[in-house]
Amino acid sequence: MSEGAFKRYMITSALPYANGPKHIGHLAGAYIPADVYVRYLRLSGKDVVFVCGSDEHGTAIPNQALKENTTSQAIVDKYDAQIRKCFVKMGMSFDIYHRTTEPIHHQTSQEIFLTLYNKGLLTEETSEQYYDDEAKTFLADRYIKGTCPKCGHPSAYGDQCEKCGTSLSSKDLINPKSTLTGNSPVLKLTKHWYLPLESYEPWLKEWILKSHQHDWKTNVYGQCKSWIDAGLQPRAMTRDLDWGIKVPLPDAEGKVLYVWFDAPIGYISATRALFDEVTSGHYRFSTPQRDFTGSKKDDWKTYWQDKETKLVHFIGKDNIVFHCIIFPVILHATGEYIVPDNVPANEFMNLEGDKMSTSRGWSIEMHEYLEDFPDKPDVLRYALLTNLPEAKDSEFTWKDFQAKNNNELVAIFGNFVNRAFVLTQKFFDNKVPALGDLQEVDKKALADLKLFPARISESIETYRFREATSGLMDLARLGNKYLAETEPWKLAKTDLPRVGTILNIALQIAANLSVMAEPFLPFSASKLKTMLNVGSTQWHHAGTGDLLAVSHSLGESALLFEKIEDEVIEVQIKKLFDTKKKMELASQPAAPAKQEVSFDEFSKMDIRIGKILKAERVEKSKKLLKLQVDTGIDTRTVMSGIAEHFAPEDIIGKQVTILVNLAPRKIMGVESQGMILMASDKDGSLKLLSPGAETAPGSVIS
RNA sequence: GGCGCGGUAGCUCAGGUGGUUAGAGCGUUGGAUUCAUAACCCAAAGGUCGGGGGUUCAACUCCCCCCCGCGCUACCA
């Protein structure tokens, strides 16, 4: 459908899962592009509602609560607050940021579930599933490990063996264990309600494969086609869990709606909550970005049920099936709702050569960035926008971030604006000078300027945000080039009116930048408007050379962007590696157990407390220290490979554990008579084993 | 394993339906300039478009095979 066919826009960004902090990859995937799109639509005078909210159900929430030793509610409260705050600081212009734990969402989800149920569109099925008695919960396949029946790999997951690649069902596993408690789970009967996706295949084929073949992105279309061609299966819409939305049926005790059933409905609930709040005046979650005066409580329906509404979901590629197949089928099946016009899913953004992962400590989390760069949300927006993973996975590096800031935002955009301001202050008392006769170069600049709004619009409307962003920067380039060609600073002494004409045009370009930058760099655009002493201007006014009237007084000038020094970037890179190392230490499993030994074998070892009397480096050796140790029995020489971990002077006088009856051995020409015992930490560092309190040398360890 | 998306200059990436000398930004080198946050402006160098076959007057683009990365399948944007 063409743009003109729609009366209003309903825009959603993927609901972030409130089980942990979100990182810049999430911003690049579903948030910044959506915000640019929405800000552009608003500037263009379109009727648009933009919603998001925290996704707070699902099994991972109680699991995270277990990990942090708290309640599920506390987990979602914590991360909802954190994510919410970060989005505000990043300039995300949601009309509402809601929560799926809110009653209105429970109500909406249950209503939709019941609509499907009452229409007879859900099927009931009873099956056996593994149950963990101690955790009192049914176990998803991912939470069961056991021996692979094919290759014998001892820790295959319930859904697939990672060693041989066979896809499994948890019931195939030999000796299954719950990953939550380590217990052997038991099989229990349980009833669930399924959505028979396969019966919507004809409709999906018509809707996606035929009507959206050319306007959906290839990655999205291909993924959908793959699902549809493979043949769809019934999918359970309920789960056995005590955290979530109760299944609204009499015989459904202890069952909740599947999180992927309720989460997308969160978009609808959020819209409902928005209109509740703007009509009642009680603002809890909404931050309306436009005037909703005259709206009615029921207006949310227009945005979700009227065919003239254009619905667009911004998501990451991992969510494609839910937003393109399952949720649309739910919406379609109700017979009441519209389905998305487009789902411009992005691929993933990598970081410094590796996948982003919060659990592996390899990410830049929103709150961390904002703590370190509190006044630079636009710089991150820009760095992400110019490198969005629109067609394939992309790569974020700190050096690139610095270069984008220093070479583009500062050197091209900020610098152009500054040049125009400084010259105007110098020669025209900070007032917009009059426009005289136009020369070829002026006409050319104005003609070029005129092309920008349409060019950038075109990119945004076809979801090419990277291209749109570079279009904006090209406008600043145009400004710089214009100044370089006209060289007003040379003419000041001979032809001031001519200088006025040039600066008038330069300032008009700056004013255009303040309008067209708004979707991309909202904070800087607003700062620039203050500098120009102008209010907001609609998109369709841009492209002209009369945004500023002659003699209009400019406001106080300031630098729009500032350089980021090398040291600042080095700190960030170091921080990244430090965090990664910390997480590795915390998550690395211990080495597997060694073979069993008998007590007799163990008691052959003569392990004692000793005291280091002397320690010196061994020449020509990097690793060895030559130690004199008081073993209680005697004083003996021990060669120990610890020179990379301890300085000799630091360990003199330390009590250690020593194996005294190890066969002597010549090392670097010196006979070593025993072995100092060490703990080798996960990062490879060594730790001395000392008694908890001063102990007499020679004390036997058993 | 099956399926999907990618593999294009030193780096990060564009190249909708095959059509003149394959593009941008950054980086590099050279020039010009000094109003400006040592910034801007101009120019050049730099690519057997992952590898191999095929279709065609013509292939980065279409088809087949192989290699590599990522994703989905299997609740992280």
Side-chain angles (χ1 to χ4, degrees), chain A residues 116-185:
Chain A
L116 300 180
Y117 180 82
N118 291 332
K119 284 182 143 193
L121 300 176
L122 299 175
T123 54
E124 274 181 35
E125 228 174 276
T126 302
S127 64
E128 279 190 318
Q129 278 194 16
Y130 275 120
Y131 183 83
D132 184 324
D133 263 326
E134 188 186 331
K136 292 200 168 50
T137 177
F138 279 93
L139 296 165
D141 287 345
R142 240 318 73 137
Y143 291 103
I144 301 170
K145 270 188 167 182
T147 302
C148 173
K150 269 231 168 119
C151 72
H153 180 55
S155 52
Y157 287 103
D159 47 11
Q160 190 200 27
C161 172
E162 295 201 323
K163 195 161 184 198
C164 66
T166 314
S167 66
L168 303 166
S169 151
S170 51
K171 285 174 213 160
D172 301 338
L173 290 177
I174 299 161
N175 192 19
K177 299 278 185 206
S178 161
T179 60
L180 297 181
T181 60
N183 295 341
S184 301

Side-chain angles (χ1 to χ4, degrees), chain A residues 6-15 47-53 95-96 98 100 104-105 108-109 111-112 203 207 261-276 290 292 296-315 322-324 326-343:
Chain A
F6 293 102
K7 276 194 178 157
R8 67 190 77 74
Y9 293 77
M10 180 71 233
I11 311 300
T12 75
S13 275
L15 304 189
D47 177 352
V48 48
V49 167
F50 183 25
V51 304
C52 192
D95 291 299
I96 185 166
H98 202 238
T100 60
I104 193 172
H105 173 66
T108 309
S109 304
E111 280 170 13
I112 291 178
W203 173 73
W207 173 54
F261 181 85
D262 92 73
I265 292 174
Y267 302 138
I268 300 173
S269 322
T271 313
R272 248 178 119 165
L274 171 67
F275 281 95
D276 271 4
R290 63 170 167 93
F292 281 88
K296 292 189 286 295
K297 209 169 137 76
D298 266 357
D299 281 356
W300 67 271
K301 287 185 181 168
T302 339
Y303 288 86
W304 282 96
Q305 301 182 344
D306 188 312
K307 294 248 182 306
E308 290 179 311
T309 299
K310 175 164 171 164
L311 171 63
V312 181
H313 297 305
F314 284 86
I315 58 168
F322 302 106
H323 286 78
C324 298
I326 300 175
F327 186 47
V329 164
I330 292 170
L331 293 172
H332 173 74
T334 61
E336 296 164 359
Y337 289 87
I338 56 167
V339 291
D341 180 70
N342 210 325
V343 185

Side-chain angles (χ1 to χ4, degrees), chain A residues 34-213:
Chain A
D35 191 59
V36 171
Y37 188 68
V38 167
R39 283 175 182 271
Y40 159 76
L41 291 175
R42 289 197 190 109
L43 261 186
S44 306
K46 305 285 190 200
D47 177 352
V48 48
V49 167
F50 183 25
V51 304
C52 192
S54 293
D55 173 11
E56 311 189 313
H57 295 134
T59 59
I61 298 289
N63 291 345
Q64 183 68 21
L66 216 61
K67 227 191 221 170
E68 296 192 24
N69 194 24
T70 181
T71 62
S72 296
Q73 190 61 50
I75 289 292
V76 297
D77 286 349
K78 173 178 162 184
Y79 292 113
D80 168 73
Q82 186 195 67
I83 296 165
R84 176 181 299 276
K85 205 166 119 193
C86 289
F87 278 158
V88 171
K89 289 184 180 168
M90 281 309 302
M92 291 301 303
S93 62
F94 303 124
D95 291 299
I96 185 166
Y97 186 83
H98 202 238
R99 305 181 63 170
T100 60
T101 44
E102 280 297 299
I104 193 172
H105 173 66
H106 283 232
Q107 187 195 330
T108 309
S109 304
Q110 290 176 337
E111 280 170 13
I112 291 178
F113 184 87
L114 280 176
T115 301
L116 300 180
Y117 180 82
N118 291 332
K119 284 182 143 193
L121 300 176
L122 299 175
T123 54
E124 274 181 35
E125 228 174 276
T126 302
S127 64
E128 279 190 318
Q129 278 194 16
Y130 275 120
Y131 183 83
D132 184 324
D133 263 326
E134 188 186 331
K136 292 200 168 50
T137 177
F138 279 93
L139 296 165
D141 287 345
R142 240 318 73 137
Y143 291 103
I144 301 170
K145 270 188 167 182
T147 302
C148 173
K150 269 231 168 119
C151 72
H153 180 55
S155 52
Y157 287 103
D159 47 11
Q160 190 200 27
C161 172
E162 295 201 323
K163 195 161 184 198
C164 66
T166 314
S167 66
L168 303 166
S169 151
S170 51
K171 285 174 213 160
D172 301 338
L173 290 177
I174 299 161
N175 192 19
K177 299 278 185 206
S178 161
T179 60
L180 297 181
T181 60
N183 295 341
S184 301
V186 293
L187 283 171
K188 251 185 151 177
L189 279 177
T190 179
K191 178 162 80 176
H192 284 290
W193 286 267
Y194 289 72
L195 182 64
L197 293 174
E198 71 284 3
S199 49
Y200 298 89
E201 262 181 39
W203 173 73
L204 285 169
K205 278 182 180 162
E206 177 68 27
W207 173 54
I208 300 180
L209 300 188
K210 276 184 81 175
S211 69
H212 286 299
Q213 185 167 11

Side-chain angles (χ1 to χ4, degrees), chain A residues 514-579:
Chain A
S514 82
V515 178
M516 287 184 257
E518 204 276 340
F520 309 91
L521 309 166
F523 298 97
S524 309
S526 150
K527 193 170 170 185
L528 179 52
K529 279 179 199 137
T530 306
M531 283 164 62
L532 288 163
N533 188 24
V534 295
S536 56
T537 308
Q538 287 227 317
W539 188 269
H540 69 266
H541 288 131
T544 64
D546 53 10
L547 293 183
L548 299 171
V550 173
S551 299
H552 171 78
S553 289
L554 300 178
E556 213 170 300
S557 78
L559 295 179
L560 278 178
F561 303 99
E562 56 186 21
K563 284 201 119 180
I564 295 174
E565 301 300 332
D566 291 348
E567 299 78 65
V568 175
I569 293 302
E570 278 156 23
V571 166
Q572 290 301 325
I573 294 174
K574 185 174 182 306
K575 185 171 164 185
L576 190 58
F577 280 94
D578 286 351
T579 312

Side-chain angles (χ1 to χ4, degrees), chain A residues 677-694:
Chain A
L677 302 185
M678 296 277 165
S680 172
D681 207 343
K682 285 172 178 172
D683 61 356
S685 67
L686 297 178
K687 310 281 158 65
L688 293 174
L689 298 179
S690 304
E694 184 80 11

Side-chain angles (χ1 to χ4, degrees), chain A residues 216-275:
Chain A
W216 282 20
K217 293 169 63 167
T218 52
N219 57 335
V220 177
Y221 184 85
Q223 191 72 236
C224 294
K225 190 170 182 325
S226 145
W227 270 79
I228 295 168
D229 289 349
L232 297 165
Q233 303 284 325
R235 197 159 175 121
M237 290 293 124
T238 54
R239 290 288 186 273
D240 292 290
L241 197 68
D242 61 0
W243 178 252
I245 299 173
K246 299 264 174 284
V247 174
L249 294 173
D251 52 345
E253 201 53 42
K255 296 186 194 297
V256 296
L257 300 178
Y258 175 40
V259 66
W260 270 113
F261 181 85
D262 92 73
I265 292 174
Y267 302 138
I268 300 173
S269 322
T271 313
R272 248 178 119 165
L274 171 67
F275 281 95

Side-chain angles (χ1 to χ4, degrees), chain A residues 223-491:
Chain A
Q223 191 72 236
C224 294
K225 190 170 182 325
S226 145
W227 270 79
I228 295 168
D229 289 349
L232 297 165
Q233 303 284 325
R235 197 159 175 121
M237 290 293 124
T238 54
R239 290 288 186 273
D240 292 290
L241 197 68
D242 61 0
W243 178 252
I245 299 173
K246 299 264 174 284
V247 174
L249 294 173
D251 52 345
E253 201 53 42
K255 296 186 194 297
V256 296
L257 300 178
Y258 175 40
V259 66
W260 270 113
F261 181 85
D262 92 73
I265 292 174
Y267 302 138
I268 300 173
S269 322
T271 313
R272 248 178 119 165
L274 171 67
F275 281 95
D276 271 4
E277 293 189 9
V278 295
T279 50
S280 70
H282 287 293
Y283 296 100
R284 288 181 63 216
F285 298 103
S286 52
T287 47
Q289 302 289 313
R290 63 170 167 93
D291 189 7
F292 281 88
T293 311
S295 296
K296 292 189 286 295
K297 209 169 137 76
D298 266 357
D299 281 356
W300 67 271
K301 287 185 181 168
T302 339
Y303 288 86
W304 282 96
Q305 301 182 344
D306 188 312
K307 294 248 182 306
E308 290 179 311
T309 299
K310 175 164 171 164
L311 171 63
V312 181
H313 297 305
F314 284 86
I315 58 168
K317 66 173 158 182
D318 53 335
N319 274 341
I320 289 173
V321 63
F322 302 106
H323 286 78
C324 298
I325 309 267
I326 300 175
F327 186 47
V329 164
I330 292 170
L331 293 172
H332 173 74
T334 61
E336 296 164 359
Y337 289 87
I338 56 167
V339 291
D341 180 70
N342 210 325
V343 185
N346 275 326
E347 301 283 302
F348 284 168
M349 180 173 258
N350 294 325
L351 171 62
E352 303 279 356
D354 201 357
K355 279 196 282 187
M356 266 192 245
S357 157
T358 302
S359 60
R360 279 173 40 244
W362 195 254
S363 74
I364 302 166
E365 287 163 11
M366 289 197 284
H367 68 280
E368 290 179 330
Y369 174 85
L370 288 163
E371 274 161 28
D372 292 349
F373 301 96
D375 56 341
K376 294 185 175 19
D378 277 353
V379 177
L380 182 59
R381 286 175 72 109
Y382 185 76
L384 296 177
L385 277 166
T386 49
N387 203 14
L388 289 176
E390 289 178 335
K392 60 178 176 189
D393 289 357
S394 71
E395 166 105 358
F396 179 97
T397 66
W398 276 109
K399 276 199 74 172
D400 183 63
F401 168 84
Q402 181 192 26
K404 290 272 162 60
N405 179 75
N406 292 357
N407 303 333
E408 296 180 33
L409 290 175
V410 173
I412 298 171
F413 194 115
N415 186 40
F416 164 65
V417 170
N418 191 41
R419 295 171 84 181
F421 269 83
V422 167
L423 289 165
T424 308
Q425 277 159 9
K426 211 177 231 176
F427 301 121
F428 296 97
D429 192 27
N430 222 22
K431 287 190 170 61
V432 177
L435 197 67
D437 291 336
L438 296 185
Q439 299 184 358
E440 254 339 285
V441 63
D442 308 324
K443 288 180 187 162
K444 175 81 169 58
L446 288 169
D448 286 346
L449 166 64
K450 201 173 176 187
L451 302 174
F452 275 85
R455 180 178 144 195
I456 297 175
S457 294
E458 159 83 14
S459 300
I460 294 178
E461 285 172 14
T462 50
Y463 310 104
R464 295 199 290 252
F465 299 102
R466 193 197 258 272
E467 185 180 273
T469 310
S470 84
L472 177 73
M473 195 50 68
D474 284 345
L475 179 55
R477 287 196 173 92
L478 172 72
N480 277 318
K481 191 171 171 179
Y482 177 67
L483 287 181
E485 282 168 351
T486 52
E487 301 182 305
W489 50 90
K490 280 188 177 167
L491 304 171

